[in-house]
């Protein structure tokens, strides 16, 4: 499934009449003295460190729903997410990949994975450092999927962790909240996954195919960005930088 398809899944209504101020396809921000490239896929590229960061893959979410509740979801989320990740890894050729927590929807996810998906993860890891950051969904996963495990990781002036910490956290890059931004104009609305940040910290969009999203106008983001925020919405072929005043609530 293409990134364009994934982006459209979060639309309320998509219309060419909706005019937004577009940024470059790969805008670069500076955080704690580090250059951060925001990729249209929802990944983050740290060129100076040859490090690619993705967040909230939620692999095996479909099989988790089936196992726990009997609710059937098409069991293709892991394959689709890994296919998108493969494209990004091939494009950047990172020396290190950091999966920023909730890489699996639950601790049993690795055991339910198809052998083909397991082999794809191994191929992605070959020849590079791979770091699984612990998340609230997959904290118990500590082996069986290659790579190494950590609660947080320092990269230059940045601190990479799953959940944003309360209060000031200069240089923090986190996930967990699955941010989405909504813009409404002329009776129509677009709702997209997004990066959201200020001069101090950045929260990344969820990368997984079956992940939902939390509107950046929710109180959870107000507490992290009391002085304002900018959401970089993942659009069709480009990113859009939108200030909080232009973002709508759900």
């Amino acid at each position: 499934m293409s990134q364009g398809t994934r982006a459209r899944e979060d639309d309320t209504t998509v219309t060419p009449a909706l005019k937004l101020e577009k940024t470059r396809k790969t805008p670069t921000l500076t955080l704690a003295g580090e250059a951060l490239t925001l990729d249209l896929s929802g990944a983050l590229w740290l060129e100076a460190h040859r490090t690619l960061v993705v967040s909230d893959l939620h692999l095996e979410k479909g099989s988790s729903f089936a196992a726990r509740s009997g609710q059937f979801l098409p069991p293709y989320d892991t394959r689709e997410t890994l296919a998108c990740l493969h494209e990004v890894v091939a494009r950047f050729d990172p020396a290190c990949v950091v999966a920023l927590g909730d890489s699996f929807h639950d601790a049993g996810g690795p055991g339910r994975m198809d052998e083909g998906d397991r082999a794809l993860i191994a191929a992605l890891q070959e020849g590079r450092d791979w770091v699984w950051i612990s998340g609230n969904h997959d904290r118990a996963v500590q082996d069986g999927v290659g790579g190494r495990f950590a609660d947080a990781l320092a990269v230059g002036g940045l601190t990479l962790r799953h959940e944003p910490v309360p209060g000031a956290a200069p240089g923090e890059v986190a996930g967990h909240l699955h941010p989405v931004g909504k813009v409404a104009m002329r009776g129509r609305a677009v709702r997209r996954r997004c990066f959201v940040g200020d001069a101090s910290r950045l929260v990344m969009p969820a990368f997984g195919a079956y992940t939902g999203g939390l509107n950046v106008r929710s109180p959870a983001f107000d507490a992290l960005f009391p002085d304002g925020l900018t959401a970089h919405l993942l659009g069709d072929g480009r990113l859009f930088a939108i200030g909080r005043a232009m973002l709508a609530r759900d």
Side-chain angles (χ1 to χ4, degrees):
M1 179 168 58
S2 69
Q3 179 59 32
T5 301
R6 295 204 312 173
R8 284 192 293 272
E9 288 178 346
D10 288 329
D11 287 358
T12 303
T13 303
V14 180
T15 170
L18 184 62
K19 302 295 184 182
L20 306 176
E21 179 186 356
K22 71 177 181 179
T23 67
R24 293 175 297 163
K25 288 185 179 181
T26 53
T28 300
L29 309 179
T30 301
L31 189 66
E34 301 286 347
L36 283 60
T37 299
L38 312 184
D39 191 66
L40 187 59
S41 66
L44 181 69
W45 174 235
L46 308 177
E47 184 173 9
H49 305 280
R50 288 194 61 212
T51 295
L52 184 73
V53 186
V54 292
S55 187
D56 294 273
L57 303 177
H58 282 271
L59 301 175
E60 294 302 312
K61 182 175 182 177
S63 65
S64 177
F65 270 64
R68 293 187 178 194
S69 66
Q71 180 180 352
F72 177 77
L73 291 175
Y76 308 120
D77 57 304
T78 295
R79 183 65 51 89
E80 292 174 356
T81 299
L82 291 178
C84 292
L85 182 55
H86 180 273
E87 185 277 327
V88 180
V89 169
R91 182 154 43 88
F92 285 104
D93 189 25
C96 177
V97 174
V98 180
L100 207 58
D102 284 1
S103 300
F104 295 89
H105 193 66
D106 59 37
R112 297 193 305 272
M113 278 190 6
D114 177 88
E115 286 303 316
D117 296 334
R118 189 180 298 277
L120 182 51
I121 290 176
L124 289 170
Q125 293 173 339
E126 187 173 356
R128 56 179 52 93
D129 188 19
W130 190 285
V131 185
W132 302 102
I133 301 296
S134 298
N136 56 298
H137 276 258
D138 59 1
R139 200 172 304 279
V141 176
Q142 292 293 321
D143 55 38
V145 289
R148 58 190 177 98
F149 297 82
D151 290 328
L153 183 70
V155 178
L158 305 174
T159 299
L160 310 183
R161 59 168 60 96
H162 179 60
E163 294 190 44
V165 298
E172 179 184 80
V173 177
H176 180 59
L177 294 174
H178 302 194
V180 297
K182 181 179 178 181
V183 181
M185 297 177 69
R186 301 173 187 171
R188 299 175 183 268
V190 171
R191 191 175 190 271
R192 297 290 177 94
R193 303 181 193 206
C194 64
F195 297 88
V196 59
D198 59 11
S200 179
R201 72 184 348 144
L202 182 76
V203 178
M204 293 186 57
F207 197 88
Y210 279 4
T211 52
L214 179 65
N215 191 305
V216 298
R217 293 298 308 273
S218 78
F221 291 98
D222 292 340
L224 295 175
F225 304 105
D227 298 322
L229 56 82
T230 299
H232 296 267
L233 277 62
L234 309 183
D236 294 328
R238 58 185 184 265
L239 289 97
F240 299 92
I242 313 293
R244 180 158 60 185
M246 286 187 63
L247 295 165
R249 302 181 188 275
D250 288 335

